[in-house]
Amino acid sequence: MALVTRFAPSPTGRLHLGHAHAALFAWRRARAAPGGRFLLRIEDIDPARCRPEFATAILEDLAWLGLDWDGEVRVQSAQLADYRCVLDRLAAEGLLYPCFCSRADIARAGAAPHGPEGPVYPGTCRRLDPALREARLAAGAPHALRLDLAGALARLPRRLEREEEGVGRIGCRPEAFGDVVLARRDAPASYHLCVTHDDAAQGVTLVTRGADLARASDIQRVLQALLGWPAPRYAHHGLLCGADGRRLAKRDGAASLAALREAGTDPAAVRARAGFAD
Ligand code: GLU
Protein backbone atom coordinates (compact mmCIF):
# COMPACT_ATOMS: atom_id res chain seq x y z
CA MET A 1 0.00 0.00 0.00
CA ALA A 2 1.46 3.39 -1.01
CA LEU A 3 2.30 5.82 1.75
CA VAL A 4 -0.20 8.63 2.34
CA THR A 5 0.72 11.47 4.70
CA ARG A 6 -0.97 14.76 5.39
CA PHE A 7 -0.49 18.20 6.88
CA ALA A 8 -3.59 19.39 8.72
CA PRO A 9 -3.21 22.94 10.05
CA SER A 10 -5.95 24.99 11.69
CA PRO A 11 -6.37 28.43 10.08
CA THR A 12 -6.12 30.40 13.31
CA GLY A 13 -3.10 32.50 12.29
CA ARG A 14 -0.14 32.60 9.94
CA LEU A 15 2.10 29.56 9.59
CA HIS A 16 5.43 29.71 11.44
CA LEU A 17 8.64 27.70 11.34
CA GLY A 18 7.11 25.01 13.55
CA HIS A 19 4.39 24.44 10.98
CA ALA A 20 7.01 24.42 8.23
CA HIS A 21 8.81 21.66 10.11
CA ALA A 22 5.60 19.62 10.44
CA ALA A 23 4.62 20.15 6.81
CA LEU A 24 8.09 19.29 5.48
CA PHE A 25 8.28 16.23 7.73
CA ALA A 26 5.08 14.80 6.19
CA TRP A 27 5.80 16.01 2.63
CA ARG A 28 9.33 14.59 2.52
CA ARG A 29 8.10 11.20 3.70
CA ALA A 30 5.48 11.05 0.97
CA ARG A 31 7.79 12.27 -1.76
CA ALA A 32 10.50 9.77 -0.78
CA ALA A 33 8.12 6.80 -1.11
CA PRO A 34 7.27 5.29 -4.50
CA GLY A 35 3.70 6.35 -5.28
CA GLY A 36 3.53 8.27 -2.00
CA ARG A 37 0.88 10.95 -1.61
CA PHE A 38 0.90 14.12 0.48
CA LEU A 39 -2.50 15.60 1.36
CA LEU A 40 -3.44 19.00 2.71
CA ARG A 41 -6.38 19.47 5.04
CA ILE A 42 -7.69 22.66 6.61
CA GLU A 43 -9.02 21.96 10.11
CA ASP A 44 -11.44 24.83 10.50
CA ILE A 45 -14.30 23.54 12.65
CA ASP A 46 -13.70 26.09 15.43
CA PRO A 47 -15.82 29.04 14.27
CA ALA A 48 -14.47 31.40 16.92
CA ARG A 49 -10.79 30.96 16.08
CA CYS A 50 -10.60 30.03 12.38
CA ARG A 51 -10.64 32.61 9.60
CA PRO A 52 -10.90 31.99 5.82
CA GLU A 53 -8.10 34.46 5.09
CA PHE A 54 -5.71 32.36 7.16
CA ALA A 55 -6.70 29.28 5.15
CA THR A 56 -5.86 31.14 1.93
CA ALA A 57 -2.56 32.29 3.43
CA ILE A 58 -1.67 28.69 4.40
CA LEU A 59 -1.88 27.58 0.76
CA GLU A 60 0.22 30.55 -0.34
CA ASP A 61 2.85 30.02 2.35
CA LEU A 62 3.19 26.31 1.59
CA ALA A 63 3.48 26.89 -2.15
CA TRP A 64 6.12 29.58 -1.53
CA LEU A 65 8.00 27.15 0.70
CA GLY A 66 8.15 24.73 -2.23
CA LEU A 67 5.55 22.19 -1.15
CA ASP A 68 2.98 20.68 -3.44
CA TRP A 69 0.05 18.50 -2.45
CA ASP A 70 -1.98 15.80 -4.14
CA GLY A 71 -5.65 16.18 -4.98
CA GLU A 72 -8.06 18.72 -3.62
CA VAL A 73 -7.51 20.46 -0.32
CA ARG A 74 -9.99 19.01 2.15
CA VAL A 75 -11.80 21.59 4.27
CA GLN A 76 -13.37 20.28 7.46
CA SER A 77 -16.17 22.85 7.64
CA ALA A 78 -17.47 21.33 4.37
CA GLN A 79 -17.75 17.83 5.91
CA LEU A 80 -20.22 18.51 8.72
CA ALA A 81 -22.85 16.07 7.37
CA ASP A 82 -20.29 13.26 7.49
CA TYR A 83 -19.35 14.06 11.08
CA ARG A 84 -23.07 14.08 11.95
CA CYS A 85 -23.41 10.55 10.51
CA VAL A 86 -20.61 9.32 12.74
CA LEU A 87 -22.16 10.97 15.79
CA ASP A 88 -25.50 9.34 14.92
CA ARG A 89 -23.83 5.94 14.68
CA LEU A 90 -22.23 6.32 18.10
CA ALA A 91 -25.48 7.63 19.57
CA ALA A 92 -27.38 4.63 18.15
CA GLU A 93 -24.86 2.40 19.91
CA GLY A 94 -25.56 4.20 23.19
CA LEU A 95 -22.01 5.52 23.39
CA LEU A 96 -22.76 9.23 23.27
CA TYR A 97 -24.45 11.47 25.81
CA PRO A 98 -25.27 15.19 25.97
CA CYS A 99 -23.22 17.16 28.48
CA PHE A 100 -24.64 20.45 29.72
CA CYS A 101 -21.66 21.36 31.92
CA SER A 102 -19.70 24.52 31.24
CA ARG A 103 -15.95 24.70 31.82
CA ALA A 104 -16.72 26.51 35.08
CA ASP A 105 -19.03 23.67 36.18
CA ILE A 106 -16.26 21.17 35.54
CA ALA A 107 -13.70 23.28 37.39
CA ARG A 108 -16.15 23.62 40.31
CA ALA A 109 -16.64 19.83 40.43
CA GLY A 110 -13.06 19.95 41.74
CA ALA A 111 -10.55 17.25 42.51
CA ALA A 112 -10.81 15.93 38.95
CA PRO A 113 -7.60 14.20 37.90
CA HIS A 114 -5.67 16.02 35.22
CA GLY A 115 -5.54 14.41 31.77
CA PRO A 116 -3.64 15.35 28.61
CA GLU A 117 -6.27 18.01 27.87
CA GLY A 118 -6.92 19.43 31.32
CA PRO A 119 -9.26 18.23 34.07
CA VAL A 120 -10.82 14.87 33.25
CA TYR A 121 -14.59 15.19 33.00
CA PRO A 122 -16.15 13.68 36.13
CA GLY A 123 -19.05 12.14 34.21
CA THR A 124 -21.79 14.29 35.83
CA CYS A 125 -24.09 14.30 32.79
CA ARG A 126 -23.50 10.59 32.07
CA ARG A 127 -25.34 9.93 35.33
CA LEU A 128 -28.05 12.52 34.74
CA ASP A 129 -31.63 11.42 35.38
CA PRO A 130 -33.04 10.53 31.90
CA ALA A 131 -36.18 12.65 32.40
CA LEU A 132 -34.07 15.66 33.35
CA ARG A 133 -31.82 15.07 30.35
CA GLU A 134 -34.82 14.98 28.01
CA ALA A 135 -36.28 18.09 29.58
CA ARG A 136 -33.06 20.01 29.12
CA LEU A 137 -32.73 18.87 25.52
CA ALA A 138 -36.34 19.81 24.85
CA ALA A 139 -35.69 23.25 26.34
CA GLY A 140 -32.79 23.69 23.91
CA ALA A 141 -30.10 23.86 26.61
CA PRO A 142 -26.65 24.24 25.05
CA HIS A 143 -24.68 21.02 25.26
CA ALA A 144 -21.69 19.09 24.00
CA LEU A 145 -21.77 15.40 23.08
CA ARG A 146 -19.34 13.18 24.97
CA LEU A 147 -18.15 9.64 24.37
CA ASP A 148 -18.97 7.17 27.13
CA LEU A 149 -15.38 5.95 27.27
CA ALA A 150 -15.96 3.09 29.70
CA GLY A 151 -18.83 1.85 27.52
CA ALA A 152 -16.64 2.14 24.44
CA LEU A 153 -13.67 0.34 25.97
CA ALA A 154 -15.92 -2.49 27.15
CA ARG A 155 -16.55 -3.30 23.46
CA LEU A 156 -12.91 -3.28 22.42
CA PRO A 157 -10.00 -5.66 23.02
CA ARG A 158 -8.56 -5.20 26.50
CA ARG A 159 -5.19 -4.06 25.15
CA LEU A 160 -5.52 -1.50 22.39
CA GLU A 161 -2.29 -0.85 20.53
CA ARG A 162 -0.99 1.50 17.91
CA GLU A 163 2.07 1.41 15.69
CA GLU A 164 4.61 4.14 16.42
CA GLU A 165 7.31 4.48 13.81
CA GLY A 166 10.75 3.61 15.09
CA VAL A 167 9.27 2.18 18.29
CA GLY A 168 6.85 -0.56 17.25
CA ARG A 169 3.49 -1.49 18.73
CA ILE A 170 2.70 0.43 21.88
CA GLY A 171 -0.22 0.11 24.27
CA CYS A 172 -2.71 3.02 24.24
CA ARG A 173 -3.80 4.73 27.46
CA PRO A 174 -7.07 6.41 26.45
CA GLU A 175 -8.45 6.30 30.01
CA ALA A 176 -6.44 9.43 30.79
CA PHE A 177 -8.80 11.42 28.53
CA GLY A 178 -12.04 10.37 30.18
CA ASP A 179 -15.28 11.00 28.29
CA VAL A 180 -13.90 13.15 25.48
CA VAL A 181 -16.05 15.71 23.68
CA LEU A 182 -16.98 14.58 20.15
CA ALA A 183 -19.31 17.49 19.36
CA ARG A 184 -18.67 20.81 21.03
CA ARG A 185 -21.20 23.21 22.46
CA ASP A 186 -20.03 25.84 19.98
CA ALA A 187 -19.19 23.58 17.02
CA PRO A 188 -20.97 20.57 15.55
CA ALA A 189 -17.94 18.28 15.95
CA SER A 190 -14.61 18.19 17.79
CA TYR A 191 -10.94 17.89 16.91
CA HIS A 192 -10.71 14.18 17.83
CA LEU A 193 -13.77 13.23 15.83
CA CYS A 194 -12.90 15.22 12.70
CA VAL A 195 -9.22 14.35 12.57
CA THR A 196 -9.86 10.62 13.04
CA HIS A 197 -12.72 10.59 10.55
CA ASP A 198 -10.77 12.48 7.92
CA ASP A 199 -7.58 10.45 8.28
CA ALA A 200 -9.69 7.36 7.59
CA ALA A 201 -11.77 8.97 4.82
CA GLN A 202 -8.64 10.21 3.07
CA GLY A 203 -6.76 6.91 3.38
CA VAL A 204 -3.90 8.38 5.43
CA THR A 205 -1.48 5.55 6.23
CA LEU A 206 1.07 7.52 8.26
CA VAL A 207 -0.20 10.19 10.66
CA THR A 208 2.60 12.62 11.41
CA ARG A 209 2.18 15.26 14.08
CA GLY A 210 4.08 17.04 16.82
CA ALA A 211 5.10 15.19 19.96
CA ASP A 212 2.71 17.48 21.89
CA LEU A 213 -0.18 15.57 20.28
CA ALA A 214 1.23 12.08 20.84
CA ARG A 215 -1.29 11.28 23.57
CA ALA A 216 -4.16 12.35 21.28
CA SER A 217 -3.30 9.37 19.10
CA ASP A 218 -4.33 7.07 21.98
CA ILE A 219 -7.90 8.34 22.14
CA GLN A 220 -8.15 8.55 18.36
CA ARG A 221 -7.19 4.88 18.20
CA VAL A 222 -10.31 4.14 20.29
CA LEU A 223 -12.52 5.90 17.74
CA GLN A 224 -10.88 3.99 14.87
CA ALA A 225 -11.43 0.68 16.62
CA LEU A 226 -15.05 1.50 17.52
CA LEU A 227 -15.96 2.65 14.05
CA GLY A 228 -14.08 -0.07 12.17
CA TRP A 229 -11.66 2.33 10.51
CA PRO A 230 -8.13 1.26 9.53
CA ALA A 231 -5.32 1.91 12.00
CA PRO A 232 -2.67 4.19 10.49
CA ARG A 233 0.94 4.21 11.64
CA TYR A 234 2.09 7.22 13.65
CA ALA A 235 5.25 9.32 13.67
CA HIS A 236 5.47 12.08 16.26
CA HIS A 237 8.14 14.64 15.55
CA GLY A 238 9.96 17.05 17.85
CA LEU A 239 8.87 20.68 18.22
CA LEU A 240 11.00 23.63 17.15
CA CYS A 241 11.88 26.10 19.90
CA GLY A 242 12.41 29.85 19.71
CA ALA A 243 15.44 31.75 21.02
CA ASP A 244 13.83 31.72 24.49
CA GLY A 245 13.85 27.92 24.49
CA ARG A 246 10.05 27.72 24.43
CA ARG A 247 8.26 25.93 21.62
CA LEU A 248 7.35 28.19 18.74
CA ALA A 249 3.77 29.37 18.68
CA LYS A 250 1.67 31.66 16.53
CA ARG A 251 2.36 34.50 18.96
CA ASP A 252 6.03 34.46 17.79
CA GLY A 253 5.30 36.70 14.82
CA ALA A 254 8.96 36.98 13.81
CA ALA A 255 9.08 33.28 12.99
CA SER A 256 6.07 33.45 10.68
CA LEU A 257 6.76 32.38 7.13
CA ALA A 258 5.19 35.62 5.92
CA ALA A 259 7.61 37.72 7.99
CA LEU A 260 10.57 35.67 6.78
CA ARG A 261 9.47 36.06 3.18
CA GLU A 262 8.98 39.82 3.60
CA ALA A 263 12.45 40.07 5.12
CA GLY A 264 13.82 38.58 1.90
CA THR A 265 14.72 35.13 3.23
CA ASP A 266 14.60 32.61 0.42
CA PRO A 267 12.55 29.43 0.71
CA ALA A 268 15.58 27.11 0.81
CA ALA A 269 16.94 29.02 3.82
CA VAL A 270 13.55 28.77 5.53
CA ARG A 271 13.42 25.04 4.85
CA ALA A 272 16.86 24.75 6.44
CA ARG A 273 15.75 26.77 9.48
CA ALA A 274 12.76 24.46 9.76
CA GLY A 275 15.18 21.54 10.02
CA PHE A 276 15.09 20.32 6.43
CA ALA A 277 18.13 21.59 4.53
CA ASP A 278 18.05 20.57 0.84
N1 GLU B 1 -5.18 20.63 13.22
C1 GLU B 1 -4.28 20.27 14.29
C2 GLU B 1 -3.45 21.48 14.69
O1 GLU B 1 -3.30 22.40 13.92
C3 GLU B 1 -3.33 19.16 13.93
C4 GLU B 1 -3.97 17.95 13.37
C5 GLU B 1 -3.26 16.67 13.76
O2 GLU B 1 -2.18 16.42 13.25
O3 GLU B 1 -3.78 15.94 14.54
O4 GLU B 1 -2.93 21.47 15.78
Side-chain angles (χ1 to χ4, degrees):
M1 199 168 41
L3 185 79
V4 183
T5 67
R6 48 69 168 177
F7 177 53
S10 298
T12 56
R14 296 303 299 254
L15 294 186
H16 56 63
L17 281 171
H19 295 108
H21 179 76
L24 284 159
F25 186 91
W27 179 80
R28 287 244 178 147
R29 289 300 308 271
R31 294 292 175 250
R37 285 165 54 78
F38 170 73
L39 310 179
L40 179 59
R41 184 165 79 224
I42 300 295
E43 302 213 323
D44 62 344
I45 47 147
D46 184 337
R49 295 179 60 228
C50 296
R51 301 227 304 261
E53 57 271 32
F54 289 136
T56 308
I58 286 172
L59 307 196
E60 283 169 15
D61 286 345
L62 291 177
W64 173 78
L65 194 60
L67 272 77
D68 58 346
W69 49 90
D70 298 304
E72 301 264 299
V73 177
R74 185 179 178 95
V75 179
Q76 287 192 327
S77 57
Q79 322 294 333
L80 300 185
D82 287 354
Y83 306 140
R84 185 70 247 170
C85 282
V86 179
L87 291 166
D88 289 347
R89 262 180 79 186
L90 292 170
E93 303 235 359
L95 293 175
L96 217 56
Y97 65 88
C99 171
F100 305 94
C101 297
S102 63
R103 275 179 206 276
D105 294 332
I106 297 171
R108 260 199 305 276
H114 233 67
E117 298 177 327
V120 176
Y121 182 61
T124 321
C125 289
R126 181 168 16 85
R127 294 184 295 270
L128 209 59
D129 172 66
L132 189 56
R133 178 182 292 155
E134 288 313 314
R136 285 200 189 166
L137 286 175
H143 60 276
L145 294 174
R146 288 183 181 272
L147 177 71
D148 173 355
L149 184 64
L153 293 179
R155 300 187 191 192
L156 300 177
R158 265 259 290 273
R159 181 174 160 84
L160 202 60
E161 296 182 328
R162 62 179 181 79
E163 183 79 26
E164 178 77 26
E165 228 184 36
V167 180
R169 300 193 69 76
I170 56 177
C172 297
R173 288 182 295 140
E175 296 82 358
F177 284 82
D179 291 352
V180 277
V181 169
L182 295 186
R184 293 164 38 157
R185 254 176 187 237
D186 59 346
S190 76
Y191 160 67
H192 291 304
L193 179 80
C194 299
V195 81
T196 315
H197 172 274
D198 286 1
D199 284 338
Q202 294 188 281
V204 173
T205 62
L206 176 68
V207 171
T208 66
R209 53 165 71 118
D212 57 330
L213 284 174
R215 297 296 310 279
S217 304
D218 286 1
I219 190 73
Q220 292 174 20
R221 184 72 200 93
V222 170
L223 295 177
Q224 289 155 4
L226 270 182
L227 292 155
W229 293 336
R233 286 182 300 125
Y234 290 88
H236 295 97
H237 55 76
L239 302 170
L240 292 195
C241 291
D244 60 359
R246 291 197 311 160
R247 68 177 266 225
L248 285 181
K250 284 175 183 153
R251 60 178 178 272
D252 300 309
S256 83
L257 302 189
L260 290 164
R261 176 169 40 175
E262 272 151 38
T265 318
D266 76 281
V270 175
R271 290 196 293 273
R273 277 188 64 182
F276 290 93
D278 294 347

